[in-house]
Amino acid sequence: MPLTHRCAARPPAALALCIALTCIDAQAGGSLLLLDPPPTQPTWSGGLSVRGWPRAPGSARQREALLPALDYESPSGIFAATDAGLGWNLAPQLLDSDAAKDWQLGARLWPQSGRSRRESPPGIDRLGSRLITQLFANAQVTPALLLQSGLSWGSGRHHNGDQLELGVTSGIPIGRELLGISLAATYADAAHLRGSFGIGPSESRASGLPEFHPHSGWQDWSIALSAEHKFSDDWSVNGQWLHTRLIGQAAASPLTHSRDQPSFILSLWHRF
């Protein structure tokens, strides 16, 4: 690929900053990517998103917000979006054109919110926002079946937690539209689970809650419904509803007030 094309494909710093301020993931599950094949020409889209997500890991309350929506996609596989973070799908660089349509391989960065002081019980340390790094690999094994995986690190209170999410997505035709349904499960190491759901000795003394020291294990399973409708070549609306169910030690934590962790996003897009 010519060097000039590589330079043109880099998203401006202002876009990356805006994405960092508006891209917020749910606390559990939902980290697997659904990407379209890279376009033949760079594309820009903008709009508005209505989002809802848990206020903290294990919270029974939700936070809702109306936020700007931005999306940039490059033929080289670079993408920057409020839905997906900042990343690079390397399949067009590593595979031939036919194989690149069936594989998505790469890495991305996206911010993840935590547990604010307001959402933390008295005596429990806050869990700050973290910048998560993920390696992803998806394979379209049949026209109706997409296998997905994502290995993430940078979570946990000390940014040393790791997570592995595995999933499968299929499509259900509804008239001229397609409803995507995804099933996934997340495995987390001890650093992540202790940072998100654990209670240390000093926190126990200050809060009156029992100490809780989870070890690595399965954290959740989730189901997601995704859909998109195009009004024209330039206008479209898409959305996703995700229901995550905490399991194992995450569900047993004294900090967990609800095992059910729903989230949603509904976005109106205009392509420029």
Side-chain angles (χ1 to χ4, degrees), residues 13-25 51 53 63 65-70 81-83 85-86 109-113 129-131:
L15 175 59
L17 176 61
C18 184
I19 288 171
L21 294 174
T22 58
C23 176
I24 300 175
D25 268 27
R51 294 170 176 256
W53 67 96
R63 190 187 308 275
L66 179 64
L67 298 168
L70 295 170
T82 47
D83 288 356
L86 178 63
L109 298 170
W110 84 98
Q112 187 179 62
S113 60
S129 299
R130 294 137 290 158
L131 187 64

Side-chain angles (χ1 to χ4, degrees), residues 17-263:
L17 176 61
C18 184
I19 288 171
L21 294 174
T22 58
C23 176
I24 300 175
D25 268 27
Q27 296 305 312
S31 73
L32 296 177
L33 281 173
L34 285 172
L35 295 173
D36 292 325
T40 56
Q41 298 292 329
T43 62
W44 293 85
S45 300
L48 287 174
S49 292
V50 180
R51 294 170 176 256
W53 67 96
R55 287 180 173 266
S59 176
R61 299 191 299 167
Q62 277 208 300
R63 190 187 308 275
E64 290 83 26
L66 179 64
L67 298 168
L70 295 170
D71 184 278
Y72 170 84
E73 296 181 53
S74 162
S76 68
I78 291 175
F79 59 88
T82 47
D83 288 356
L86 178 63
W88 194 353
N89 175 16
L90 291 169
Q93 314 296 321
L94 302 176
L95 307 173
D96 60 49
S97 58
D98 290 334
K101 296 177 182 178
D102 295 330
W103 283 89
Q104 300 165 358
L105 308 166
R108 67 163 176 153
L109 298 170
W110 84 98
Q112 187 179 62
S113 60
R115 180 185 290 109
S116 67
R117 293 196 182 281
R118 178 178 297 180
E119 297 299 325
S120 302
I124 298 297
D125 296 338
R126 65 183 293 272
L127 176 64
S129 299
R130 294 137 290 158
L131 187 64
I132 307 300
T133 305
Q134 182 186 68
L135 298 178
F136 61 86
N138 299 339
Q140 191 78 46
V141 293
T142 73
L145 188 64
L146 175 69
L147 301 182
Q148 300 163 275
S149 64
L151 176 62
S152 307
W153 62 93
S155 61
R157 181 164 289 140
H158 302 292
H159 309 278
N160 60 345
D162 302 326
Q163 300 173 82
L164 173 65
E165 189 168 6
L166 303 173
V168 58
T169 292
S170 186
I172 302 174
I174 301 179
R176 298 178 58 187
E177 310 298 337
L178 190 67
L179 177 66
I181 181 168
S182 304
L183 297 173
T186 306
Y187 187 91
D189 70 354
H192 172 82
L193 288 171
R194 289 175 182 175
S196 299
F197 300 98
I199 299 175
S202 60
E203 293 176 305
S204 177
R205 290 191 296 270
S207 66
L209 296 173
E211 291 187 33
F212 189 70
H213 303 282
H215 52 79
S216 58
W218 291 100
Q219 174 182 278
D220 60 62
W221 64 265
S222 61
I223 181 171
L225 299 177
S226 307
E228 180 182 35
H229 175 72
K230 292 184 179 294
F231 300 105
S232 66
D233 290 341
D234 296 329
W235 287 95
S236 64
V237 61
N238 63 21
Q240 183 187 71
W241 172 82
L242 171 73
H243 186 88
T244 300
R245 177 78 172 177
L246 296 178
I247 60 177
Q249 300 164 99
S253 169
L255 299 177
T256 295
H257 299 286
S258 175
R259 294 188 177 190
D260 297 313
Q261 302 285 278
S263 61

